[in-house]
Amino acid sequence: MQTSPDRHEYPAHWEADVVLRDGGTARIRPITVDDADRLVSFYEQVSDESKYYRFFAPYPRLSAKDVHRFTHHDFVDRVGLAATVGGEFIATVRYDRIGADGTPASAPADEAEVAFLVQDAHQGRGVASALLEHIGAVARERGIRRFAAEVLPANNKMIKVFTDAGYTQKRSFEDGVVRLEFDLEPTDRSLAVQYAREHRAEARSVQRLLAPGSVAVIGAGRTPGGVGRSVLGNIRDSGFTGRLYAVNKALPEEQKELDGVPAHRSVRDIDGPVDLAVVAVPAEYVPEVVTECGEHGVQGLVVVSAGYAESGLEGRESQRALVRHARTYGMRIIGPNAFGIINTSPRVRLNASLAPETPRPGRIGLFAQSGAIGIALLSRLHRRGGGVTGVTGVSTFVSSGNRADVSGNDVLQYWYEDPDTDVVLMYLESIGNPRKFTRLARRTAAAKPLVVVQGARHGAAPQGHAVRATRLPHETVSALLRQAGVIRVDTITDLVDAGLLLARQPLPAGPRVAILGNSESLGLLTYDACLAEGLRPHPPQDLTTAASAADFHAALSRALADDRCDAVVVTAIPAVGEVSVADAALAEALRSAAAATPAKPVLVVHVELGGLAEALSAAASTAPQAESDIPPQTAAPSAEERPPAAEPPDGAHLIPAYPAAERAVRALAQAVTYAQWRRDAADPGKVPEYEDIDQRGAAALIDGLLARGQGLTLGTEETCDLLGHYGVHVHRAPPAPTPDAAAEAARTLGYPVALKATAPHLRHRADLGGVRLDLTDEDQLRRSYTELTELFGAPDELRPVVQRMAPRGVDVVVRAVIDPAAGAVLSFGLAGAASQLLGDTAHRLIPVTDREAGSLVRSIRTAPLLFGWRGSAPADTRALEELLLRVSRLVDDHPEVVAVTLEPVVVASHGLSVLGASVRLATPPARDDLGPRTLPAY
């Protein structure tokens, strides 16, 4: 690496893998003295025009002096980074620190000149934009605050790289050269540009995996059976529109086909490009396969091979090596230990998975980290039965296995853009980057429903998943996901139920539900279920068991036309007699009535004793399919599994049916909540400015306090001072080590006062008797002091304090914490048993807007106590919301504030009183969402 004259050791933490604009990957790393030959080879492959743009003159080759200069860096004032693929340079960037006169300088000079060079074959892939993000982050780390770049006017591509980055900049023109200067401090626009580039790149990288033009199955066995041979047959039988190859190094030289598919001993022998390789060889042979694929230019891998992180520490190291190996060639990986991928688009028709049947085409995107859960979901969505009638279709399916590389975040980026996907269903066993997931989920949910069920909620993540630790309980993470618009469900059944409703029914405008049907009992069950889910049902309309299809049609039409109704639940029990005929007529009656008023959702609760479920199956499908497109069954289908004889035309109003009222209503309630979130998200509110906030004063105080050490819990006076800079005023509580000290403190504060024991085992435990309230004079104070010491021990054990009485009100607790995985979280609940015993606490991500503060206060179950429950005086919730906003601002402005607790806060009819507070300072956790784009490190 670097030699002794260099001032800093090799900065390994600058190394990173990035996804480029076209979906490929590259590795960015510092340039060292060992890269001389790579640099020369790289430069020889750059066109004369690109060299001219870089050096402003013809520059056919690098001199020995140039090579030395461009490979010897001190990693402080002179830094060079290279983007590599397959170990070779494809682009370079460097900065040189300069002084005010433009000559080389050292710190404290905070400006640097920056220059790029990108191989012509890799221009247009977003390499320079990625390098600019990384060299900018390096420069900020080294105390550089501003870049300057000189560019020829004709070099439009490089000028665009700088101008599109989103930094604050100025431009000048002098001596035939455009000079650009820009600050490196991230701005809202530069972060937005970074997120947008990340989104496009990751979406494109997944698209390359899901829509390949050619696929090679490596490890397709010579005899029937086995994983590789099964995947090969599934791809072939699905009608894949691209080129398919079988690869097995054990094949005889003369064998050219396997199951009718062109066969080769190595992927290198394939004449033509291979976009995707499905790897199904034992783990010990995978490195050799990855090398062959990389050298052949394969774009991505689906590794179904097992024996990696799920098998222990040795397997985890093998998994890390696999990812690093693949990334050196610019390949992304699904897996290892993956179940596979499916794309039902007629343009692709790919079933590169272990699922023996390709699911019907539809509008649902399905992601499962577990292969077993994935096949269960596919089966349930494909067949009639399993509790939900009808067939629903899938657009794309990804089972990521150990998700060593491609994760749910990546696939979410793809589905946000995918015009063939209307609803996203995800089964997650771990969330590797909650902060990023919530950001992506919020954006996706604003455009299409996202339903998530999380496994392993009460234990560790599966052994194969490498995830960062979070201190937040599962309930808190769930609350944050709901805040981001995610429809959180608890079971696979709920996941499918919600997907069926959201795939083809409109979102309800509100919680008002009409109930009608031919069973009074079923109607009452539905009514009770609606109340339990927080909906507002109308009294059920009983059509009696004699109701005909025409009666259902008329009743449904009236309900849908009623302005007081937002959704309709139809309950049905089977008719007696010609069951199939009656069911078909009823299904058609419901479909035609719903189609006449397509703006309101309709659900059916049925008792499946006849053929109603089959007749309604067309109403539950998310896309039509001709009988000729139905893949052959491996066994004769049961009555529940038979595909419908006919389906309505595309775009028809399709009706989901449920075998239980509770399931239908639960799905409807989730849709109501999501629809309300969509409406609220259109106007998320704002983070208010308060004129009395002293941000600079708080920053100076924090810097002074942190100078004492890396992390500390502030004392009472320091806590009050810091909170005071943000307009949060804590009632002083002077210590009272003796009765005389207590009396003196009370005289200073003014009566009435409270006497409190603050020992850890008594703090916030009024129920134990460690608090005396409304002491109006010194005699009462001294008697109470004596009582406390007699009951609980000496003053040095009790740590008594005196505090002025606050107006009566509702006691609440406000907390903020910075979690290393999820970010800054604001929490609120009533003090005491409500939050501690019942877990009645609400959470929001920081920064909190005014609308979010209002919803935070109202979202706990005990919120009625703040709004005049049972005739009590309503609390000043406006003051409470302002307090929440001020705490949010403090933590957002100063990430060194890693924990804040205000307990108790007494919210009176007018105003509030903060009676206790604690603050912890520490060096803030690194925020990967503010730095340059990178893939997870391995």
Side-chain angles (χ1 to χ4, degrees):
M1 291 298 176
Q2 291 300 106
T3 56
S4 57
D6 297 306
R7 290 163 38 192
H8 276 69
E9 294 182 357
Y10 178 80
H13 65 286
W14 292 351
E15 296 182 355
D17 296 301
V18 297
V19 183
L20 303 177
R21 182 182 301 155
D22 62 355
T25 65
R27 184 160 186 80
I28 293 176
R29 64 169 178 82
I31 299 174
T32 72
V33 296
D34 300 324
D35 291 318
D37 291 341
R38 293 187 185 89
L39 181 67
V40 172
S41 174
F42 157 74
Y43 194 77
E44 289 174 349
Q45 298 177 63
V46 176
S47 71
D48 292 339
E49 180 184 48
S50 295
K51 293 174 182 175
Y52 185 87
Y53 283 151
R54 169 63 177 85
F55 294 103
F56 299 176
Y59 216 90
R61 63 187 59 85
L62 295 175
S63 66
K65 183 178 180 181
D66 292 328
V67 173
H68 183 276
R69 176 191 171 203
F70 292 148
T71 56
H72 285 68
H73 305 99
D74 61 13
F75 300 130
V76 178
D77 301 325
R78 303 184 315 279
V79 173
L81 300 179
T84 68
V85 173
E88 300 301 321
F89 288 6
I90 64 169
T92 62
V93 62
R94 65 175 282 116
Y95 78 67
D96 294 89
R97 194 189 302 257
I98 58 174
D101 58 356
T103 60
S106 297
D110 62 357
E111 183 174 351
E113 284 187 335
V114 64
F116 295 80
L117 186 59
V118 182
Q119 260 182 24
D120 296 68
H122 295 277
Q123 292 178 10
R125 300 185 65 199
V127 183
S129 297
L131 282 173
L132 177 58
E133 290 179 16
H134 283 259
I135 197 72
V138 168
R140 289 193 296 271
E141 180 182 325
R142 296 310 194 200
I144 293 171
R145 297 291 173 260
R146 186 169 54 259
F147 270 166
E150 294 186 344
V151 186
L152 291 175
N155 193 358
N156 294 318
K157 292 181 180 178
M158 190 52 60
I159 292 175
K160 184 173 175 60
V161 168
F162 290 120
T163 57
D164 287 352
Y167 294 112
T168 302
Q169 62 180 264
K170 63 180 181 180
R171 182 190 304 201
S172 59
F173 184 78
E174 186 177 349
D175 297 331
V177 174
V178 177
R179 181 175 177 83
L180 299 168
E181 298 180 11
F182 49 95
D183 296 331
L184 293 178
E185 190 65 26
T187 65
D188 289 344
R189 181 167 178 266
S190 69
L191 289 175
V193 169
Q194 176 180 312
Y195 291 154
R197 287 173 173 165
E198 174 190 64
H199 161 66
R200 290 192 298 268
E202 292 183 356
R204 175 59 180 152
S205 72
V206 175
Q207 183 186 30
R208 298 203 318 177
L209 293 166
L210 290 175
S214 53
V215 176
V217 179
I218 303 175
R222 290 177 292 171
T223 58
V227 173
R229 189 71 171 263
S230 297
V231 173
L232 180 70
N234 294 341
I235 298 176
R236 181 200 60 207
D237 295 342
S238 67
F240 177 52
T241 59
R243 297 175 301 279
L244 177 61
Y245 306 98
V247 176
N248 188 331
K249 67 178 182 180
L251 289 174
E253 290 281 355
E254 63 276 7
Q255 185 170 348
K256 303 301 181 185
E257 281 193 358
L258 188 64
D259 289 344
V261 175
H264 303 273
R265 290 170 55 84
S266 168
V267 71
R268 293 191 182 103
D269 300 333
I270 297 175
D271 185 16
V274 174
D275 298 328
L276 176 70
V278 180
V279 181
V281 301
E284 59 267 29
Y285 299 114
V286 170
E288 177 185 351
V289 169
V290 172
T291 299
E292 293 181 359
C293 290
E295 292 176 352
H296 192 71
V298 175
Q299 296 181 350
L301 306 174
V302 174
V303 181
V304 298
S305 308
Y308 287 91
E310 79 282 358
S311 62
L313 292 177
E314 184 177 348
R316 185 177 296 277
E317 289 303 316
S318 298
Q319 182 169 299
R320 290 172 175 161
L322 167 64
V323 175
R324 289 194 297 265
H325 192 185
R327 286 179 179 173
T328 62
Y329 292 103
M331 296 184 294
R332 299 213 68 182
I333 295 176
I334 291 177
N337 194 29
F339 186 77
I341 59 176
I342 296 173
N343 187 343
T344 65
S345 167
R347 301 181 300 275
V348 181
R349 295 203 299 270
L350 173 68
N351 179 10
S353 78
L354 294 171
E357 294 182 39
T358 302
R360 293 165 57 89
R363 311 290 301 179
I364 291 178
L366 185 59
F367 178 87
Q369 291 176 347
S370 161
I373 298 298
I375 191 61
L377 281 170
L378 286 173
S379 175
R380 188 163 295 188
L381 287 171
H382 180 67
R383 61 185 169 87
R384 287 171 188 78
V388 178
T389 64
V391 178
T392 192
V394 172
S395 60
T396 42
F397 164 77
V398 176
S399 175
S400 62
N402 294 358
R403 64 164 192 71
D405 182 19
V406 173
S407 68
N409 285 346
D410 300 293
V411 183
L412 204 55
Q413 304 265 39
Y414 167 77
W415 277 325
Y416 175 80
E417 293 280 353
D418 183 26
D420 295 333
T421 300
D422 291 337
V423 179
V424 175
L425 307 183
M426 305 186 79
Y427 170 79
L428 304 176
E429 291 177 338
S430 60
I431 301 176
N433 188 340
R435 190 199 305 263
K436 181 176 179 179
F437 183 79
T438 53
R439 170 168 59 85
L440 299 181
R442 182 184 296 273
R443 184 186 60 180
T444 301
K448 55 188 70 173
L450 169 60
V451 191
V452 172
V453 61
Q454 187 175 352
R457 296 193 297 269
H458 305 296
Q463 193 170 4
H465 295 193
V467 297
R468 67 186 70 185
T470 176
R471 294 188 292 266
L472 299 179
H474 170 74
E475 291 76 11
T476 303
V477 175
S478 295
L480 298 179
L481 293 180
R482 284 191 289 269
Q483 181 192 353
V486 175
I487 302 171
R488 267 280 293 110
V489 298
D490 293 326
T491 68
I492 294 298
T493 299
D494 290 342
L495 186 73
V496 175
D497 286 349
L500 282 167
L501 175 60
L502 295 165
R504 279 302 195 191
Q505 287 290 300
L507 293 176
R512 300 169 300 178
V513 182
I515 304 169
L516 60 93
N518 61 357
S519 169
E520 181 180 13
S521 298
L522 199 51
L524 291 173
L525 284 174
T526 305
Y527 182 85
D528 291 342
C530 287
L531 291 176
E533 293 291 343
L535 302 177
R536 291 161 51 190
H538 296 186
Q541 180 183 359
D542 182 17
L543 304 180
T544 76
T545 56
S548 65
D551 294 329
F552 272 93
H553 183 279
L556 179 56
S557 298
R558 287 193 301 271
L560 291 172
D562 188 348
D563 292 338
R564 299 170 301 167
C565 164
D566 301 310
V568 181
V569 178
V570 178
T571 63
I573 60 174
V576 177
E578 295 293 331
V579 174
S580 60
V581 175
D583 288 338
L586 176 56
E588 180 55 37
L590 297 178
R591 278 200 300 266
S592 59
T597 311
K600 297 180 181 180
V602 177
L603 301 81
V604 171
V605 177
H606 68 93
V607 176
E608 189 179 352
L609 298 178
L612 178 58
E614 187 170 342
L616 278 171
S617 60
S621 175
T622 62
Q625 179 180 15
E627 287 189 18
S628 59
D629 292 332
I630 299 171
Q633 302 279 344
T634 57
S638 68
E640 292 181 334
E641 295 173 332
R642 275 196 302 271
E647 294 189 356
D650 195 18
H653 204 85
L654 308 175
I655 303 175
Y658 301 84
E662 295 80 6
R663 288 172 55 181
V665 171
R666 190 179 305 122
L668 178 59
Q670 290 156 351
V672 168
T673 302
Y674 170 66
Q676 184 61 50
W677 180 90
R678 286 273 291 261
R679 290 188 289 270
D680 293 342
D683 181 18
K686 61 182 179 180
V687 177
E689 299 288 339
Y690 296 108
E691 294 182 358
D692 61 339
I693 285 181
D694 181 11
Q695 184 173 349
R696 291 185 178 180
L701 177 60
I702 290 169
D703 289 343
L705 293 170
L706 280 178
R708 304 177 187 174
Q710 290 299 311
L712 69 159
T713 299
L714 302 188
T716 301
E717 293 300 317
E718 296 161 337
T719 296
C720 293
D721 288 346
L722 178 57
L723 292 173
H725 283 293
Y726 273 75
V728 178
H729 302 291
V730 183
H731 281 222
R732 302 283 173 162
T738 66
D740 291 339
E744 178 61 29
R747 283 192 293 271
T748 302
L749 296 172
Y751 287 98
V753 297
L755 179 66
K756 303 179 179 181
T758 62
H761 65 288
L762 296 173
R763 189 175 182 85
H764 306 311
R765 291 297 307 274
D767 57 309
L768 296 181
V771 179
R772 296 292 186 272
L773 303 176
D774 288 316
L775 306 178
T776 59
D777 55 37
E778 186 172 333
D779 288 342
Q780 289 184 356
L781 175 62
R782 289 182 179 274
R783 283 197 304 271
S784 296
Y785 199 100
T786 301
E787 291 173 0
L788 285 181
T789 54
E790 290 177 350
L791 283 171
F792 297 109
D796 58 342
E797 299 175 2
L798 297 180
R799 304 178 192 177
V801 299
V802 176
Q803 194 170 52
R804 183 175 175 81
M805 282 296 299
R808 299 284 185 176
V810 181
D811 290 4
V812 304
V813 58
V814 176
R815 290 188 175 91
V817 63
I818 295 184
D819 183 80
V825 179
L826 182 67
S827 303
F828 163 77
L830 297 194
S835 58
Q836 296 174 6
L837 179 62
L838 304 178
D840 187 18
T841 306
H843 313 274
R844 295 293 185 272
L845 288 173
I846 291 174
V848 172
T849 67
D850 50 2
R851 287 181 64 97
E852 290 172 337
S855 69
L856 183 62
V857 169
R858 290 160 177 80
S859 60
I860 58 175
R861 298 191 301 276
T862 46
L865 294 174
L866 294 165
F867 294 93
W869 185 65
R870 287 190 172 181
S872 61
D876 190 347
T877 53
R878 182 166 297 182
L880 176 58
E881 292 169 16
E882 181 178 325
L883 176 68
L884 293 168
L885 290 165
R886 288 178 180 273
V887 173
S888 169
R889 278 287 308 274
L890 170 64
V891 176
D892 191 45
D893 291 345
H894 306 284
E896 301 88 353
V897 180
V898 296
V900 176
T901 299
L902 307 182
E903 183 182 12
V905 178
V906 181
V907 188
S909 299
H910 300 285
L912 54 77
S913 304
V914 181
L915 302 185
S918 66
V919 174
R920 179 168 178 77
L921 302 182
T923 302
R927 287 198 58 177
D928 51 13
D929 59 327
L930 295 180
R933 289 171 284 155
T934 65
L935 287 167
Y938 262 97

